[in-house]
Amino acid sequence: MDAWVRFSAQSQARERLCRAAQYACSLLGHALQRHGARPELQKQIRQLEGHLSLGRKLLRLGNSADALESAKRAVHLSDVVLRFCITVSHLNRALYFACDNVLWAGKSGLAPRVDQEKWAQRSFRYYLFSLIMNLSRDAYEIRLLMEQESSACSRRLKGSGGGVPGGIETGGLGGPGTPGGGLPQLALKLRLQVLLLARVLRGHPPLLLDVVRNACDLFIPLDKLGLWRCGPGIVGLCGLVSSILSILTLIYPWLRLKP
């Protein structure tokens, strides 16, 4: 199992490059269609996109083992919320890759009787559940960091002898019954929370990158499952952006969110 996981890790860069090229073709094909390009050129782009998709499925053969190993490691995390989100995410990824392997067998002709539409829907459902868990984990980590940052700001302000001016500390804001309360007070509180969120994300690039990547990826299964029709242009753009961000985590490992 360990040997296969190491071999699988070596193919990640090639798979992500193919993914970026595939979604670039999707975006290019949409742009050509909108501008009335020649049908032959549009057909060639669609064929290239299909070949890249099939090549990615070949590179992902056996990735279920890698996802299961990641799930086994996540079970031992001390934080209950992180343990649940990360473990469930990896288990859904393992099921997604298993469905993807069946799809590859069908499209390559090894299993011609495979119902490709049914297995594609299954794979995208597991992919969607995995992304929901990833975003839930991101939201949890953001909440923890915002609480830590708020407490740190309060201690610094009190230590310097100054008050908390309506403060980063959410408890520093008065209720609606206080002078100047009501809607302006709520707007001030919301503005401070947004500033605190921006400060936290700016100070933690791996978390920011993970949020953007998962948010971009979310549009893909939503569109494929018919839950929210985005169109090939949006899907291509989001897939290309998330692929570039994934490649960055391979080039610069410190950008990968841990655990």
Side-chain angles (χ1 to χ4, degrees):
M1 179 73 77
D2 291 340
W4 178 261
V5 169
R6 286 194 298 270
F7 174 77
S8 178
Q10 293 173 1
S11 66
Q12 282 185 9
R14 291 189 291 272
E15 191 273 333
R16 293 182 188 183
L17 286 171
C18 284
R19 187 179 193 265
Q22 176 191 342
Y23 284 110
C25 286
S26 177
L27 185 59
L28 177 60
H30 175 70
L32 291 173
Q33 184 179 11
R34 287 193 61 185
H35 290 84
R38 292 186 303 140
E40 295 81 7
L41 179 58
Q42 295 183 40
K43 182 180 178 181
Q44 289 175 355
I45 295 297
R46 285 195 299 269
Q47 288 176 343
L48 177 58
E49 181 185 353
H51 293 325
L52 288 168
S53 176
L54 191 61
R56 284 182 58 217
K57 294 182 188 305
L58 176 61
L59 291 172
R60 289 202 299 260
L61 286 177
N63 276 14
S64 292
D66 188 19
L68 288 174
E69 282 296 309
S70 299
K72 284 168 59 179
R73 290 194 297 268
V75 168
H76 303 291
L77 293 173
S78 57
D79 191 294
V80 178
V81 178
L82 287 180
R83 185 194 315 156
F84 174 77
C85 290
I86 297 175
T87 303
V88 173
S89 173
H90 284 311
L91 290 176
N92 276 283
R93 282 180 64 244
L95 292 170
Y96 162 67
F97 287 131
C99 293
D100 199 61
N101 294 341
V102 174
L103 273 173
W104 174 81
K107 290 187 176 183
S108 63
L110 294 177
R113 294 185 180 181
V114 166
D115 187 340
Q116 295 186 24
E117 181 62 27
K118 181 180 72 173
W119 281 98
Q121 291 292 304
R122 286 178 179 172
S123 69
F124 281 119
R125 276 197 293 270
Y126 290 127
Y127 186 31
L128 178 60
F129 293 151
S130 175
L131 291 172
I132 290 173
M133 287 294 102
N134 289 343
L135 288 169
S136 300
R137 176 257 182 100
D138 291 338
Y140 175 71
E141 297 224 28
I142 288 172
R143 176 173 168 258
L144 291 181
L145 291 170
M146 287 179 69
E147 290 176 352
Q148 293 173 9
E149 187 67 25
S150 178
S151 299
C153 287
S154 299
R155 286 195 299 269
R156 285 197 297 268
L157 287 169
K158 290 175 183 178
S160 63
V164 182
I168 299 264
E169 184 183 21
T170 56
L173 291 170
T178 60
L183 192 59
Q185 198 80 354
L186 183 62
L188 176 61
K189 184 175 181 179
L190 180 60
R191 179 172 176 270
L192 290 170
Q193 288 295 312
V194 171
L195 290 173
L196 182 59
L197 173 62
R199 182 171 182 172
V200 165
L201 292 176
R202 187 171 65 246
H204 298 82
L207 181 56
L208 173 60
L209 187 145
D210 198 66
V211 170
V212 175
R213 183 165 57 88
N214 288 321
C216 287
D217 280 337
L218 192 64
F219 288 95
I220 299 171
L222 287 177
D223 181 80
K224 299 299 184 182
L225 293 171
L227 299 175
W228 186 12
R229 292 296 184 185
C230 311
I234 298 296
V235 170
L237 177 61
C238 291
L240 179 59
V241 170
S242 67
S243 300
I244 292 172
L245 294 179
S246 296
I247 292 170
L248 285 177
T249 62
L250 292 178
I251 299 174
Y252 306 104
W254 65 273
L255 287 174
R256 183 188 295 273
L257 186 63
K258 297 174 180 150

